[in-house]
Amino acid sequence: MSDASTSGDVEPGHDHEHHHEGPGYATPQAAIEESEREQLAYVMSLYVGTDVDAPDFVAVVDLDPDSETYCEIVDRVEMPERGDELHHFGWNACSSSCHVDGLERRHLIVPGQRSSRIHVLDAADRRNPELETVIEPEDVFEYDLSAPHTVHCIPDGQILISMLGDADGELPGGFLELNEDFEIEGRWEPPGEIEMNYDYWYQPRQNVMVSTEWAAPKTYYPGFDLEDVEAGNYGRKIHFWDWEDGTVEQTIDLGEEGQIPLEVRFLHTPESTHGFVGTALSSNMFHFFYDVDADEYRAEKVIDFEAREHEDWDMPVPGLTTDILISMDDRYLFGSNWLHGDVWMYDVSDPSNPRRADSLSVGGTFGEVQEVRGRELAGGPQMLQLSLDGERLYWTTSLFSSWDDQFYPEEAERGSVMLKADVDPRTGTMELDEDFLVDWGDCPAGPARAHEIRWPDGDCTSDVWQ
Amino acid sequence: MTNHDATLEWPDGRSRTIEVREDETILEAAERNDIGLPFGCRTGACGTCTGRLLEGAADDALAHRRRPRALKDRHLADGYVLLCLASPRADCRIAVGSSVHTELVDNPWK
């Protein structure tokens, strides 16, 4: 198997840079070279499920070290209703549309995981985004879909959202497509292609998409119940799709070692057919790749995080690997073990043989560092985001409100934090920035949770190249 | 239309009695009275609005409009109800607030 193997269909001599007119960057390397240091972050912030009677909001966080408001939430865009559980979000356009003249990376698509309400924010003014449009849940339910999760723009200006359930919060899930005017275009795929859904990523140049499985909304919404694992109500499969047709070409069952495959990433290099998927409950990392000889995808477990004994707990505690990301240069895979309290970094130059580079033990059940700037940490590292140059890794601590309540009940009382590590990609090391802390415990209406992080000008978990 | 008194009781000892019509849910009646209760999907799938009936059999005092999918049989047997779907059939006392929902599942490793 060669690194970054291709499977045909690539136009010979295709040089993307010559007609780069739209949003984003021509190549992943251009994103590294041409981007400026992140000055702001958008962070999903939530009150759902708490006794704070306030709507969820999108926080604008100042990340400019020279600013007087560094590490502060400088703006909050409140949602119109309560009960959303803001979770994951995305741009109307990314580097996949860099050939589309006139399209801008301007609108944030912000779904409510519990409400199925989809908000569109106009972020033309990066420090003061405004709510522009709302798609009401009833309009989503008409397509027999609910529980919106991953948002990706697709190369012609449309937007695709993975949906985890049907209109009643049961299976099957599917995909909802929005048009350029943020209206529902319809179901993207023929109904019935999959049962469970969660995250997805696509490589248009390879005409492939990969999707993963959490569970039916009615299963994971109330909290994590081992009975559901025993009953087979949680996912362990990944699906490879024909991107043009929207049909499943191949399904791989990851087995006992692949329970609850969540975040999935192809390498950024648009020709690559390699990627990684983190399986949260089994706490393993699978490498998947297109096997040219067999003419199909294969998945192999390449990292195994062992459960740890805790003197006060009855059973060995799994790491619960809940988020992963790949650096823009495709060299490092980062991840978070939310229950253990680890942020880790592996060198994936050879994706089939990841080499552990470094890790930080911070927060969570076993973390060596349990407070930053005098602030006690209430949860483990969770959603990650990396600067485009790969030198600053940030993370928040909330997973999902009802799951937080089970494993880290103090998160509701103290609120989430955002932390940062300085990364040296040359030596493959990370160092916790002990001066950096953004505290959602200080929000005006009361302590809030914080989840996914995005940069205004593209990041390592949203941009795809056509 | 028949009305019933629903007494909402929070863990901190606060309580409020509101009149609820048989054709509205406890959550709708609370909103009409400007009382903020936790909720999420409003379709019975998420359990965020879970309350617990403090006396009487759940079936006699409250009727769920549809199947409360977020609640398992063991939860229904223990008097848990989804306030986004539940309408009163008699006067009732209900434990409310976000901590009720957290009783549905434990940390399985602890």
Side-chain angles (χ1 to χ4, degrees):
Chain A
M1 177 198 70
S2 70
D3 194 11
S5 63
T6 57
S7 69
D9 294 340
V10 181
E11 279 178 54
H14 177 85
D15 185 349
H16 213 67
E17 271 174 281
H18 289 298
H19 38 89
H20 173 209
E21 289 156 343
Y25 302 94
T27 63
Q29 184 60 28
I32 297 168
E33 292 170 11
E34 294 167 14
S35 64
E36 292 176 4
R37 182 188 165 123
E38 64 287 350
Q39 304 270 313
L40 293 174
Y42 299 126
V43 184
M44 301 300 256
S45 308
L46 51 150
Y47 285 117
V48 72
T50 71
D51 291 321
V52 176
D53 188 25
D56 297 350
F57 60 95
V58 177
V60 181
V61 176
D62 187 337
L63 295 181
D64 176 4
D66 297 328
S67 162
E68 283 181 9
T69 51
Y70 181 50
C71 289
E72 289 178 23
I73 296 170
V74 291
D75 192 36
R76 295 182 305 125
V77 188
E78 286 201 336
M79 299 301 107
E81 304 285 339
R82 294 176 295 124
D84 285 319
E85 182 120 27
L86 300 188
H87 193 65
H88 287 219
F89 64 137
W91 287 101
N92 65 307
C94 77
S95 296
S96 71
S97 301
C98 75
H99 56 291
V100 183
D101 195 14
L103 199 60
E104 291 177 83
R105 192 200 301 264
R106 169 169 174 169
H107 291 95
L108 282 168
I109 317 302
V110 180
Q113 228 292 311
R114 282 181 203 266
S115 65
S116 300
R117 187 174 289 107
I118 300 169
H119 314 85
V120 180
L121 270 53
D122 181 347
D125 178 349
R126 295 309 206 202
R127 285 183 82 92
N128 298 286
E130 290 181 356
L131 184 69
E132 181 172 303
T133 314
V134 177
I135 300 173
E136 294 297 335
E138 296 70 32
D139 300 327
V140 173
F141 298 155
E142 275 183 36
Y143 296 85
D144 203 18
L145 292 169
S146 70
H149 194 272
T150 301
V151 176
H152 280 295
C153 55
I154 51 183
D156 51 4
Q158 287 158 321
I159 294 144
L160 192 60
I161 308 175
S162 62
M163 309 290 292
L164 274 53
D166 71 8
D168 289 323
E170 306 202 41
L171 298 176
F175 290 86
L176 190 72
E177 186 176 342
L178 309 184
N179 65 24
E180 284 172 77
D181 298 320
F182 313 117
E183 299 157 338
I184 297 178
E185 186 83 9
R187 263 188 104 112
W188 174 79
E189 91 294 9
E193 289 293 299
I194 50 170
E195 282 289 304
M196 294 181 202
N197 202 3
Y198 180 71
D199 192 29
Y200 77 100
W201 195 281
Y202 64 98
Q203 280 295 53
R205 236 186 262 188
Q206 301 290 356
N207 191 33
V208 66
M209 178 176 103
V210 58
S211 70
T212 60
E213 298 189 331
W214 191 3
K218 69 165 185 181
T219 302
Y220 69 79
Y221 274 159
F224 176 73
D225 189 342
L226 266 188
E227 263 185 28
D228 285 315
V229 177
E230 285 150 17
N233 293 338
Y234 278 99
R236 55 183 221 183
K237 294 175 191 155
I238 57 174
H239 306 278
F240 292 90
W241 298 66
D242 182 309
W243 174 242
E244 297 274 322
D245 292 347
T247 52
V248 174
E249 293 289 297
Q250 190 189 342
T251 292
I252 298 178
D253 186 337
L254 300 174
E256 286 294 312
E257 296 197 297
Q259 294 195 81
I260 315 190
L262 292 183
E263 310 306 319
V264 64
R265 324 281 181 211
F266 270 111
L267 296 188
H268 296 285
T269 305
E271 287 86 6
S272 181
T273 58
H274 292 263
F276 293 91
V277 57
T279 64
L281 182 58
S282 302
S283 305
N284 294 319
M285 210 49 45
F286 281 78
H287 165 226
F288 58 81
F289 58 96
Y290 181 72
D291 182 333
V292 181
D293 297 333
D295 189 25
E296 62 178 19
Y297 273 87
R298 287 172 57 191
E300 292 173 349
K301 188 186 80 169
V302 287
I303 305 174
D304 189 340
F305 295 104
E306 297 284 341
R308 289 177 67 171
E309 298 282 351
H310 188 289
E311 57 182 15
D312 299 329
W313 293 31
D314 298 336
M315 289 189 294
V317 186
L320 216 74
T321 312
T322 46
D323 193 23
I324 59 168
L325 69 75
I326 297 171
S327 61
M328 200 49 86
D329 62 4
D330 288 339
R331 180 160 173 208
Y332 291 107
L333 178 70
F334 293 86
S336 55
N337 290 2
W338 186 63
L339 270 185
H340 284 183
D342 296 322
V343 180
W344 47 261
M345 172 181 184
Y346 275 71
D347 176 351
V348 290
S349 306
D350 173 0
S352 54
N353 291 295
R355 183 186 64 85
R356 184 184 172 281
D358 202 359
S359 64
L360 289 175
S361 178
V362 52
T365 311
F366 299 92
E368 288 160 18
V369 176
Q370 285 290 348
E371 64 171 53
V372 173
R373 295 192 65 129
R375 205 288 203 182
E376 214 172 323
L377 306 176
Q382 219 282 109
M383 292 311 292
L384 307 168
Q385 194 51 265
L386 183 69
S387 61
L388 292 173
D389 64 9
E391 296 189 4
R392 291 165 303 283
L393 181 74
Y394 302 79
W395 63 90
T396 56
T397 51
S398 167
L399 170 60
F400 194 65
S401 62
S402 47
W403 292 41
D404 291 354
D405 285 340
Q406 243 177 307
F407 300 105
Y408 296 115
E410 321 84 61
E411 184 94 351
E413 293 151 27
R414 295 201 201 112
S416 295
V417 295
M418 182 173 171
L419 300 175
K420 164 178 172 270
D422 293 307
V423 181
D424 186 336
R426 287 158 294 279
T427 55
T429 53
M430 287 189 288
E431 188 179 356
L432 183 68
D433 180 349
E434 303 260 9
D435 295 324
F436 184 96
L437 173 80
V438 187
D439 193 344
W440 270 257
D442 299 333
C443 291
R449 302 174 200 275
H451 195 68
E452 198 179 39
I453 306 166
R454 295 233 169 277
W455 313 138
D457 296 302
D459 49 54
C460 297
T461 58
S462 61
D463 274 55
V464 167
W465 275 267
Q466 168 81 303
Chain B
M1 182 55 63
T2 314
N3 293 349
H4 301 287
D5 281 344
T7 302
L8 311 178
E9 301 188 10
W10 282 264
D12 62 4
R14 249 179 336 129
S15 80
R16 277 282 300 273
T17 300
I18 56 172
E19 208 170 49
V20 189
R21 299 193 307 264
E22 280 202 347
D23 68 343
E24 69 182 342
T25 64
I26 304 285
L27 183 64
E28 286 165 349
E31 287 178 332
R32 192 163 49 74
N33 284 278
D34 289 326
I35 298 169
L37 294 179
F39 69 90
C41 72
R42 288 180 177 271
T43 66
C46 82
T48 311
C49 65
T50 300
R52 186 164 49 85
L53 199 70
L54 289 169
E55 58 193 29
D59 289 353
D60 297 337
L62 292 159
H64 282 116
R65 273 183 189 177
R66 315 196 255 156
R67 197 155 56 86
R69 290 176 299 278
L71 298 178
K72 296 180 175 169
D73 290 345
R74 68 174 199 263
H75 300 133
L76 291 166
D78 288 343
Y80 290 101
V81 291
L82 295 187
L83 302 182
C84 75
L85 299 181
S87 300
R89 293 293 172 264
D91 290 353
C92 51
R93 286 172 53 222
I94 306 167
V96 298
S98 62
S99 60
V100 182
H101 163 251
T102 65
E103 297 167 9
L104 295 181
V105 281
D106 300 321
N107 178 340
W109 288 283
K110 216 166 179 171

